[in-house]
Amino acid sequence: MNADTFNELPSHVWPTHARRQEDGVVTIAGVPLPEIVEEYGSPAFVIDEADFRCRCRTMAEAFGGADHVHYAAKAFLTRAVARWVDEEGLCLDVASDNELQIALAAEFPAERIAAHGNNKTVEFLRRCVERGVGRIVLDSFQEIERLGAVAEQAGVVQPVLVRVKPGIEAHTHEFIATAHEDQKFGFSLASGSALKAAREVLEHPHLRLVGLHCHVGSQVFDAEGFSQAAERVLGLLGTILSELGSLHPGGREGLAQQLSTLDLGGGYGIAYLAQEQPLDVAAVAADLLAKVAAQAEELALPTPTVMVEPGRAIAGPSTVTVYTVGTVKDVHVGDDRVRRYLSVDGGMSDNIRPALYGAQYDARVVSRFVDGDPVESRVVGSHCESGDILIENAHFPNDIEPGDILAIPATGAYCYAMSSRYNAFGRPPVIVVSSGKARVMLRRETVEDLLALEAE
Ligand code: LLP
């Protein structure tokens, strides 16, 4: 590692429109990051709008149409984001009543929304039904009953998918793997509960089963996980048709036409570090679509429409978080070993992922060129907790000083979304950059905002 490395912006990790100018300052979409800090303060999230939109299109192309892709709102959602997703023609996946309400406030068409969650409230289910949400993904027997009652009350027939737990191990962090048996989501395929759920839905006059859903996990790189899951869920579709076809007035054929959706969830892995490579979504999609078509033919089924729900792969790489370095401290950690602690003005409140999942990130000084020698370093936040670490173990040049602006790339997914107000930090603003201009998407939370919540 040398000074050059520390000045490079690996293009597979940074937003597409990030550049380092001749004076060493980094711009995104033509906007210098130090100017953003001057105007809006730090820390701040900076999102490259064109990058986000372009990733929507790449997903749509890979999976054969924008209406085959649901952007997973949980990764990052505001009304503006919902409008971008709508303008790009994608569908939207929401996982709470408030996510749904944000989407609806942006006038996102309800019929292109899918609703998720393992314990949806009745209010959420009611809003989905009343507003005409396109699909509700069922996750438990109680929910089949609850939603059935809500739909009956509303006098509608609600389209639904049954979420299947296909029983495979996704190779990712335990907390974000969701297809193995011993976790909370979905109906188990192996135990027969997925088939039983399908029967209950098919027998309910106010529910219309339109397909099956599964999600293997998040930040997945092993494409085998996706195709194994697809194979098992499609196998179940075949079983449903042969065992439950008689419940449909059109028999097996009629039911086959109705169960036209195979939703395989999200999980497409991105690169956080220069030495990582993002999953090649186009290749994975082509392989997956071919395998599904071949298996459907074998099972004598019409080829289902494969839907996906990427969140991270769309939002993640579009965004960087800018911080100002406040202190630089050398800490003796062994006989002759020193570790340099670079403290920045945010931390685990704006990015809990390193503390929660051991997620690894990288950073660059974006206010100038650096040319120091690499020293063992740790980038830490400003919270009252020693686990408040953003980058645990890396080398950074030894000329980084207080006042330098540091940016961590690939923070667009699950950082703002999982942010907290620990130590009464207000959440940072989210600044959109596009064609040389910056604008505020979300303003910074102030102490007045926090005090305004207090009832006494
Ligand atoms: N669909 C379903 C049903 C999901 O549960 C998820 C993510 C997605 C789609 C989107 O997955 P993606 O394409 O973004 O990987 N907070 C964690 C990630 C949790 C993901 C939860 N579900 C993190 O920061 O890594």
Side-chain angles (χ1 to χ4, degrees):
M1 242 182 300
N2 55 32
D4 282 350
T5 318
F6 293 126
N7 291 310
E8 279 163 11
L9 308 174
S11 62
H12 57 295
V13 179
W14 282 72
T16 315
H17 306 99
R19 303 275 179 276
R20 194 181 286 276
Q21 297 177 160
E22 274 175 14
D23 61 357
V25 165
V26 171
T27 64
I28 300 183
V31 182
L33 294 176
E35 279 181 21
I36 290 186
V37 171
E38 214 167 284
E39 171 101 27
Y40 305 103
S42 63
F45 290 96
V46 181
I47 178 165
D48 177 347
E49 177 179 354
D51 178 289
F52 183 103
R53 285 179 180 270
C54 180
R55 287 175 206 276
C56 289
R57 281 176 226 148
T58 307
M59 278 288 170
E61 259 166 52
F63 285 97
D67 56 343
H68 297 181
V69 181
H70 286 71
Y71 167 65
K74 68 203 85 187
F76 177 57
L77 182 70
T78 62
R79 279 179 297 185
V81 167
R83 284 192 291 267
W84 296 351
V85 171
D86 182 23
E87 284 160 15
E88 296 305 328
L90 267 57
C91 303
L92 191 71
D93 136 13
V94 298
S96 74
D97 196 12
N98 284 1
E99 284 183 1
L100 173 62
Q101 292 193 65
I102 292 171
L104 294 173
E107 297 183 0
F108 197 96
E111 67 276 11
R112 295 209 329 264
I113 298 179
H116 277 282
N118 63 300
N119 186 21
K120 303 176 195 72
T121 62
V122 172
E123 290 79 0
F124 182 22
L125 293 173
R126 197 170 288 134
R127 199 181 315 277
C128 288
V129 168
E130 286 171 358
R131 299 296 295 263
V133 158
R135 294 190 180 348
I136 298 176
V137 183
L138 291 168
D139 197 274
S140 68
F141 289 107
Q142 289 87 357
E143 190 172 73
I144 296 177
E145 219 181 286
R146 270 176 216 153
L147 179 64
V150 167
E152 186 173 356
Q153 248 176 19
V156 299
V157 177
Q158 175 64 46
V160 299
L161 301 177
V162 162
R163 179 162 178 170
V164 180
K165 182 178 349 200
I168 61 164
E169 302 287 332
H171 300 289
T172 184
H173 192 282
E174 179 196 345
F175 292 179
I176 53 178
T178 46
H180 55 293
E181 288 293 333
D182 191 3
Q183 54 79 29
K184 69 177 181 175
F185 292 107
F187 294 94
S188 154
L189 197 165
S191 74
S193 44
L195 183 63
K196 184 162 174 270
R199 173 188 291 278
E200 286 194 13
V201 173
L202 287 168
E203 284 174 344
H204 201 294
H206 289 273
L207 301 177
R208 179 178 168 86
L209 186 64
V210 294
L212 300 176
H213 175 281
C214 73
H215 168 76
V216 294
S218 200
Q219 187 62 354
V220 173
F221 286 99
D222 175 13
E224 193 52 30
F226 296 112
S227 52
Q228 259 186 32
E231 189 183 333
R232 292 197 187 177
V233 178
L234 197 54
L236 173 65
L237 197 74
T239 311
I240 292 174
L241 294 182
S242 44
E243 297 202 10
L244 307 177
S246 57
L247 295 174
H248 192 277
R252 183 186 185 276
E253 288 311 300
L255 189 56
Q257 295 299 329
Q258 181 179 314
L259 301 190
S260 59
T261 299
L262 183 62
D263 187 332
L264 298 176
Y268 302 90
I270 66 165
Y272 288 93
L273 305 175
Q275 62 269 30
E276 296 171 339
Q277 279 305 321
L279 195 68
D280 180 348
V281 175
V284 171
D287 179 60
L288 211 50
L289 295 180
K291 283 187 175 145
V292 167
Q295 193 189 348
E297 198 178 322
E298 255 171 53
L299 296 171
L301 312 172
T303 303
T305 303
V306 171
M307 303 258 192
V308 287
E309 303 170 332
R312 188 191 316 265
I314 291 176
S318 68
T319 299
V320 307
T321 313
V322 286
Y323 302 97
T324 304
V325 176
T327 62
V328 176
K329 187 188 280 182
D330 286 335
V331 174
H332 287 271
V333 290
D335 291 343
D336 284 325
R337 259 180 76 217
V338 168
R339 197 200 302 276
R340 180 160 287 191
Y341 277 72
L342 304 167
S343 296
V344 297
D345 48 2
M348 65 197 303
S349 56
D350 60 73
N351 190 353
I352 191 65
R353 301 193 67 260
L356 191 55
Y357 312 117
Q360 290 186 291
Y361 285 86
D362 199 358
R364 293 286 181 270
V365 171
V366 293
S367 41
R368 63 180 177 90
F369 284 117
V370 289
D371 64 1
D373 291 329
V375 287
E376 208 177 327
S377 305
R378 188 165 271 182
V379 178
V380 296
S382 303
H383 291 281
C384 264
E385 172 159 344
S386 54
D388 173 27
I389 298 171
L390 291 170
I391 301 176
E392 189 178 12
N393 193 4
H395 283 78
F396 283 106
N398 64 3
D399 60 335
I400 297 182
E401 291 178 347
D404 279 334
I405 298 169
L406 212 61
I408 294 190
T411 55
Y414 306 110
C415 289
Y416 194 94
M418 296 203 297
S419 61
S420 74
R421 292 180 177 146
Y422 186 31
N423 295 135
F425 276 35
R427 289 186 176 78
V430 179
I431 309 297
V432 183
V433 289
S434 175
S435 308
K437 293 207 167 63
R439 60 179 199 273
V440 179
M441 176 191 270
L442 281 169
R443 70 164 171 80
R444 184 183 301 284
E445 287 177 2
T446 63
V447 72
E448 288 76 25
D449 292 321
L450 308 195
L451 289 171
L453 294 171
E454 296 189 8
E456 60 172 30

